[in-house]
Amino acid sequence: MTTQQGGFRGWAADRKGVLSRLRFTSLRLRLVVVFGLVALTAAVSASGIAYWLNREAVLTRTQDAVLRDFQQEMQNRAGALPRRPTQDELQHTAGQMAGSGQRFSVLLVAQDANGKTVYANSGGLNGFSLRDVPDSLRDAVNRRQKVTSANKSPYHLYWQRVVDDGTPYLVAGTKVIGGGPTGYMRKSLAPEAKDLNSLAWSLGIATALALIGAALLAQAAATTVLKPVHRLGVAARRLGEGKLDTRLRVSGTDELADLSRTFNNAAEALEKRVAEMAARDEASRRFVADMSHELRTPLTAITAVTEVLEEELDSEAGGIDPMIEPAVRLVVSETRRLNDLVENLMEVTRFDAGTARLVLDDVDVADQITACIDARAWLDAVELDAERGITARLDPRRLDVILANLIGNALKHGGSPVRVSVRASDDSVVIAVRDHGPGIPEDVLPHVFDRFYKASASRPRSEGSGLGLSIALENAHIHGGEITAANSPEGGAVFTLRLPRDASELTRKPDEGETSEGEAK
């Protein structure tokens, strides 16, 4: 049973591969079909013309020979009969006429001495009879024409081709000039029809061979044309995958070779431009990282001083001069903001450098949200709609960062109360954070997660760094999740966080044995 299933799967895979190849080579099929139609049209036209010319030549040659022989027999033998021959004389003459070289059947019609119409044929009782002669032919033979300078004889020879029981015949008739019997002749054209059928079969076979040859030539031509196109398509896909060192071999001077050279030049220019941009981006990241690290040392000292100043501000002794108290409070506030900015910049540089890692633990989502709200004293401004017992294997610190940014953003820019709801499925957890503010303008929605982006025209001035939502999104991505922003139909903005129930797969290192394909040449 296993072998049968494996065979079926193999057959299905082969069939799928064939169908895929047919779809892939649709241009090849069109070329073959076009070549085949052209060849078929040419072959059928040539065969039809050849058959028609040969048919006319064969029939005309046979017909002329038979009619000439019949007319000569009518003049020599039927013309020698008396004007009113007897039955025996007429029968003897018919037999003599049928014995000519063309071997046709003869029917003679005359009147005897008593004025009675007598008939004689070369085939006996069951031979050629007057019933076998078409009425139109008999009327033409018996019709007397006016003798003029252009028409020397009152009677002429007439002929007609007929088919009897599937056999073609040539039937002709005439009268003896000067008076005498009327003679009819019937000649079978079966040998000529057989020869013409053989010719038709030969031409049909030749047409089929021409069609097969055209298909083979079309296949060869299509292969010659499409092989470079296929290589170009593979190279373009590899280039789109980021393998910028992909190049094509160039041979020849035709249009496809020019296209390959153009592709190579474009790929080379793109590689240089991307390398330059990567170098600039790396230099920018290094500058931000170095600046962040360099700022931490003086910030540590400044933060310690501001903490002392803050303690003096809060002391009952009033150690700060009331005249400079506003300035001191401003210094404390801006120092905290600067410290948050440096921390955010360092977090961003870790994401950009790819050094951010997950430290997973089993987390009760409702407890984690409650802890985040409680730690920041947001309990009075946030409503939580979450069931206890919804657990997920996530990084608690990064989840806290995501929640703090989303809820803090809703409190700053939206309107209270902020509602946090949790829904769970077998493989994911969905956390929605909704505010009751004016919502997000449609032109701002695509940019809410951009770094340093602030919609100051539609929201109050923010004291943040402009990196909070960007950091939240990066933390969601590192979990294999996503954050989306939208406006609720009931008013206010809604940020929806989707995270997997178990992010363990993302912490596993990829197999070191995996290798990428070589360069397409």
Side-chain angles (χ1 to χ4, degrees):
M1 186 63 182
T2 303
T3 304
Q4 292 178 354
Q5 290 177 353
F8 176 78
R9 285 195 296 268
W11 174 83
D14 293 342
R15 186 166 179 262
K16 183 178 179 182
V18 171
L19 293 177
S20 176
R21 180 169 177 80
L22 286 177
R23 288 193 297 270
F24 180 71
T25 56
S26 58
L27 182 58
R28 182 190 303 272
L29 292 179
R30 289 198 294 270
L31 286 174
V32 172
V33 169
V34 170
F35 270 77
L37 289 176
V38 171
L40 182 63
T41 303
V44 169
S45 300
S47 299
I49 294 173
Y51 177 80
W52 182 78
L53 292 176
N54 280 277
R55 178 179 180 275
E56 290 301 315
V58 169
L59 293 179
T60 301
R61 183 171 61 250
T62 301
Q63 175 180 293
D64 291 346
V66 172
L67 294 178
R68 187 169 53 250
D69 194 9
F70 173 66
Q71 191 171 27
Q72 186 176 0
E73 290 292 326
M74 286 292 294
Q75 291 176 357
N76 294 338
R77 297 187 185 275
L81 289 171
R83 291 182 61 87
R84 296 184 179 273
T86 64
Q87 176 71 42
D88 293 337
E89 291 174 336
L90 202 63
Q91 185 67 42
H92 178 70
T93 301
Q96 288 181 329
M97 292 176 64
S100 67
Q102 295 298 329
R103 299 293 178 182
F104 43 73
S105 299
V106 176
L107 172 65
L108 296 178
V109 182
Q111 290 184 344
D112 59 8
N114 299 323
K116 180 182 178 182
T117 301
V118 292
Y119 301 91
N121 62 55
S122 59
L125 295 177
N126 298 323
F128 181 35
S129 66
L130 200 61
R131 295 191 305 271
D132 299 322
V133 180
D135 294 339
S136 58
L137 180 61
R138 277 185 285 170
D139 293 341
V141 170
N142 293 321
R143 185 181 305 116
R144 183 181 179 87
Q145 299 184 11
K146 184 178 181 180
V147 178
T148 62
S149 59
N151 182 27
K152 303 295 183 182
S153 175
Y155 298 103
H156 295 276
L157 174 67
Y158 295 94
W159 59 270
Q160 187 174 344
R161 293 175 192 162
V162 298
V163 178
D164 188 7
D165 293 334
T167 302
Y169 291 94
L170 175 66
V171 181
T174 187
K175 279 182 173 292
V176 175
I177 299 175
T182 301
Y184 295 100
M185 175 274 302
R186 187 170 79 160
K187 168 69 175 178
S188 174
L189 298 178
E192 287 74 15
K194 184 177 181 181
D195 293 341
L196 291 175
N197 287 335
S198 298
L199 176 62
W201 273 104
S202 301
L203 292 175
I205 294 173
T207 300
L209 293 176
L211 184 61
I212 294 173
L216 294 176
L217 290 175
Q219 175 70 13
T223 300
T224 302
V225 173
L226 296 180
K227 190 174 181 180
V229 176
H230 172 67
R231 288 200 300 265
L232 181 61
V234 172
R237 283 194 297 274
R238 292 174 62 84
L239 194 66
E241 293 170 358
K243 300 172 183 177
L244 302 180
D245 58 340
T246 301
R247 298 293 185 273
L248 291 170
R249 287 199 305 268
V250 180
S251 60
T253 57
D254 56 6
E255 290 80 358
L256 291 174
D258 292 339
L259 181 60
S260 298
R261 292 189 187 92
T262 302
F263 175 85
N264 289 341
N265 294 335
E268 184 177 0
L270 180 62
E271 185 179 19
K272 291 181 180 178
R273 180 63 59 87
V274 170
E276 293 175 358
M277 293 177 64
R280 293 175 184 173
D281 190 52
E282 180 63 26
S284 176
R285 284 203 209 100
R286 191 181 304 111
F287 170 75
V288 173
D290 293 344
M291 181 188 66
S292 301
H293 282 286
E294 291 297 329
L295 285 175
R296 293 198 71 179
T297 301
L299 268 178
T300 302
I302 295 174
T303 301
V305 173
T306 55
E307 289 177 354
V308 173
L309 291 176
E310 191 173 13
E311 291 177 358
E312 291 293 330
L313 286 173
D314 296 335
S315 68
E316 297 180 357
I320 300 297
D321 188 343
M323 297 296 295
I324 63 172
E325 181 178 344
V328 173
R329 292 189 180 278
L330 179 61
V331 169
V332 172
S333 174
E334 293 300 319
T335 301
R336 287 177 179 172
R337 185 165 177 263
L338 182 60
N339 191 58
D340 291 339
L341 176 60
V342 171
E343 291 296 331
N344 288 338
L345 287 174
M346 293 187 66
E347 186 72 6
V348 167
T349 57
R350 280 192 289 268
F351 282 118
D352 290 342
T355 58
R357 295 290 181 264
L358 292 174
V359 180
L360 301 180
D361 195 3
D362 292 329
V363 175
D364 187 300
V365 178
D367 290 344
Q368 184 70 28
I369 298 174
T370 301
C372 175
I373 297 173
D374 187 32
R376 292 161 179 83
W378 292 338
L379 288 174
D380 295 336
V382 178
E383 297 178 358
L384 177 60
D385 179 15
E387 295 182 2
R388 303 291 173 177
I390 299 176
T391 59
R393 188 162 182 79
L394 304 168
D395 187 327
R397 185 186 70 83
R398 296 190 182 278
L399 178 58
D400 182 77
V401 172
I402 298 174
L403 295 172
N405 277 291
L406 295 182
I407 298 173
N409 182 78
L411 290 172
K412 289 180 182 179
H413 304 297
S416 297
V418 172
R419 183 178 180 83
V420 181
S421 59
V422 180
R423 302 189 310 274
S425 62
D426 292 339
D427 56 356
S428 65
V429 176
V430 179
I431 303 173
V433 179
R434 178 194 167 195
D435 61 45
H436 289 75
I440 305 174
E442 293 297 328
D443 59 333
V444 175
L445 273 176
H447 307 286
V448 293
F449 295 105
D450 293 351
R451 295 177 182 177
F452 301 108
Y453 184 84
K454 296 181 182 180
S456 57
S458 59
R459 294 213 174 192
R461 182 181 180 276
S462 172
E463 297 179 356
S465 63
L467 295 173
L469 291 179
S470 175
I471 292 174
L473 183 63
E474 293 291 347
N475 278 297
H477 286 169
I478 200 174
H479 279 91
E482 185 61 64
I483 303 178
T484 58
N487 288 315
S488 173
E490 301 173 0
V494 180
F495 286 82
T496 304
L497 168 66
R498 292 177 177 84
L499 295 176
R501 292 290 291 267
D502 189 353
S504 300
E505 290 290 333
L506 300 174
T507 61
R508 298 177 184 175
K509 294 182 179 179
D511 295 338
E512 295 181 357
E514 294 181 356
T515 57
S516 59
E517 296 180 359
E519 178 183 354
K521 293 292 186 181

